Amino acid sequence: MMNWKKFMVVAMASVMTFSFAGCQKKETEPKQKTENVTGTTDNEKEKEEEVKEEIPANENLLTGVADLSDGAIGKRPVAVMVNNHEAARPQYGIAEADIIYEIPVEGDLTRLMAIYGDYTAVPQICPVRSCRYYFPAFSQGYDAFYVNWGIDDSIADYLEALNLDQYDGINNAGGLFGRDENRLAAGYSLEHTGYFDGTRFASVVQAEGKRTDLTEETKREAFQFNGLNEQVKPEGSDCTTVNINFGASNTSFTYDEASKTYLKSMNGTPHIDGNTNAQLGFTNVFVLETSISVRDEVGHKEVDWDGDWSYAGYYISNGGVQKIHWMKDPNNESSRLRFVDDNGNEIKVNRGKSYIAVNYAGQTQFQ
């Protein structure tokens, strides 16, 4: 991986788009298996085509569920940085997110990136927080608008090179940001009160003439999904509880058989949305192990966001857990995050909301 100092030299000397991660990768991914179709008759091929599901036009590409509004079909999602400090909870607006990332920041506290597949139906979200470079490295894979409140100044050149469509609360971009007066009155610290008015987002981006259509490269499902009416248990062990130790905080999940979702807790307390008072729940939980280190005196992290065959992970859904490997193209942040099994075959996942933890290796327990 390109180290931070070398990256900054390259960034200042070039106006070309580049990858934050370097080209040195740990191992070569095994070749994909190919099916032996020798002897397949025309009739058999026709039958295969007949049983192929017709995916609804309003499929949410993040969840595989057909719930997009007409105005959001083929449109870009929205990624929002959310403060996850204990003093900032409960957040609100996060229960509607289709995918939530949780990754360590300074001091091994965590920050959330909530992604919404329907840009016309984003709620008000609070508290919005600042950017760290590895979050847009993931959000670009969905061609998402990127929403934050402030940045780590040392990554400004990197963000410019990514050519993000970025909305920043520091300059109240689009007039979409403000301070929650009720939170201030309740005694919340100022940094825990910044909100993003997602209800006005669609009208603002349309008025500004921003590109709303997905690129051809990103007009695809976020995962390889199982069938529309399938609920498949991953190949592996039973799993009804998950414990993820990030260092300064602990995230845990408990499987709810009735809803077939994993209910999220933080430090032993249910993680709820302050508007709905509902506990966050996910059909799919991913834990991606990676290399994380401290890169400066402030404590900012350097995170290997592209993984590769040598990096392990876990897919948890429907009461089971499967060990996987994860990767993105190290030279292209817009590439899709891929999950493969030990044979190099891409796994299929259940349709529904997903949680993705990117964390230190060996810090997750399953029961």
Side-chain angles (χ1 to χ4, degrees):
M1 169 173 290
M2 182 182 295
N3 65 41
W4 185 258
K5 291 183 179 178
K6 184 176 179 181
F7 164 76
M8 293 306 296
V9 171
V10 174
M12 295 175 66
S14 171
V15 295
M16 296 178 64
T17 300
F18 50 84
S19 170
F20 187 87
C23 299
Q24 294 182 349
K25 299 311 296 172
K26 285 65 93 175
E27 292 183 21
T28 303
E29 179 184 345
K31 293 181 179 179
Q32 297 286 333
K33 287 187 175 180
T34 55
E35 293 184 15
N36 180 6
V37 296
T38 303
T40 302
T41 66
D42 289 340
N43 287 338
E44 287 173 337
K45 290 180 180 179
E46 289 175 4
K47 287 179 180 179
E48 288 177 2
E49 292 175 357
E50 287 176 4
V51 299
K52 187 176 181 180
E53 289 182 308
E54 182 176 348
I55 304 301
N58 68 332
E59 178 196 26
N60 185 331
L61 298 179
L62 303 185
T63 63
V65 177
D67 61 1
L68 287 183
S69 62
D70 290 344
I73 297 173
K75 304 299 183 181
R76 301 169 66 186
V78 183
V80 183
M81 294 304 305
V82 180
N83 192 347
N84 198 39
H85 193 286
E86 189 164 355
R89 294 193 292 270
Q91 305 100 332
Y92 60 77
I94 58 174
E96 289 96 325
D98 296 309
I99 297 176
I100 288 182
Y101 280 79
E102 185 170 10
I103 311 178
V105 291
E106 302 86 81
D108 284 334
L109 296 169
T110 64
R111 195 153 296 175
L112 307 180
M113 181 171 69
I115 311 179
Y116 303 79
D118 191 331
Y119 90 112
T120 71
V122 181
Q124 285 193 342
I125 304 160
C126 181
V128 181
R129 206 67 168 108
S130 56
C131 168
R132 298 296 178 265
Y133 78 87
Y134 34 92
F135 287 100
F138 285 111
S139 73
Q140 286 288 85
Y142 309 101
D143 194 20
F145 292 101
Y146 189 78
V147 177
N148 60 285
W149 194 307
I151 66 169
D152 160 16
D153 290 337
S154 67
I155 66 171
D157 291 325
Y158 174 67
L159 297 182
E160 184 177 356
L162 285 181
N163 197 27
L164 288 176
D165 275 326
Q166 184 178 9
Y167 287 79
D168 194 331
I170 285 290
N171 52 31
N172 197 13
L176 294 166
F177 299 84
R179 294 289 179 186
D180 187 319
E181 296 297 332
N182 291 330
R183 282 195 160 220
L184 286 169
Y188 281 84
S189 298
L190 187 67
E191 66 268 26
H192 304 324
T193 63
Y195 72 84
F196 167 69
D197 189 359
T199 64
R200 297 179 48 244
F201 184 71
S203 60
V204 168
V205 297
Q206 291 166 8
E208 292 179 344
K210 291 290 181 69
R211 175 178 63 85
T212 58
D213 290 337
L214 288 163
T215 64
E216 288 302 318
E217 181 184 7
T218 54
K219 283 182 180 177
R220 28 80 168 150
E221 295 170 326
F223 312 100
Q224 293 287 333
F225 287 116
N226 288 311
L228 290 172
N229 298 309
E230 287 185 309
Q231 186 69 225
V232 180
K233 187 175 182 178
E235 297 180 0
S237 306
D238 291 343
C239 181
T240 56
T241 62
V242 183
N243 252 295
I244 309 169
N245 179 11
F246 286 100
S249 62
N250 181 277
T251 289
S252 60
F253 293 89
T254 302
Y255 185 56
D256 178 57
E257 178 68 38
S259 64
K260 294 191 180 301
T261 61
Y262 285 82
L263 301 179
K264 186 176 189 292
S265 294
M266 288 291 301
N267 300 324
T269 301
H271 194 166
I272 66 170
D273 185 295
N275 275 351
T276 64
N277 288 320
Q279 188 172 3
L280 301 185
F282 302 88
T283 299
N284 305 306
V285 173
F286 296 91
V287 180
L288 310 183
E289 297 185 341
T290 192
S291 172
I292 302 176
S293 58
V294 176
R295 65 172 174 80
D296 61 20
E297 66 281 359
V298 178
H300 292 128
K301 301 292 187 183
E302 185 161 349
V303 177
D304 188 342
W305 54 261
D306 55 317
D308 76 1
W309 171 253
S310 69
Y311 280 16
Y314 300 90
Y315 167 52
I316 304 101
S317 187
N318 200 28
V321 56
Q322 177 181 2
K323 186 176 180 180
I324 59 173
H325 307 274
W326 67 277
M327 59 211 67
K328 275 172 62 79
D329 181 347
N331 300 307
N332 182 11
E333 283 88 342
S334 295
S335 63
R336 184 167 63 86
L337 189 60
R338 296 178 57 240
F339 307 109
V340 301
D341 62 21
D342 284 338
N343 295 316
N345 298 313
E346 189 158 2
I347 68 168
K348 289 189 174 183
V349 309
N350 293 317
R351 295 172 186 266
K353 296 186 176 185
S354 293
Y355 164 92
I356 302 176
V358 182
N359 195 29
Y360 303 95
Q363 298 303 308
T364 306
Q365 295 180 332
F366 308 94
Q367 292 182 348

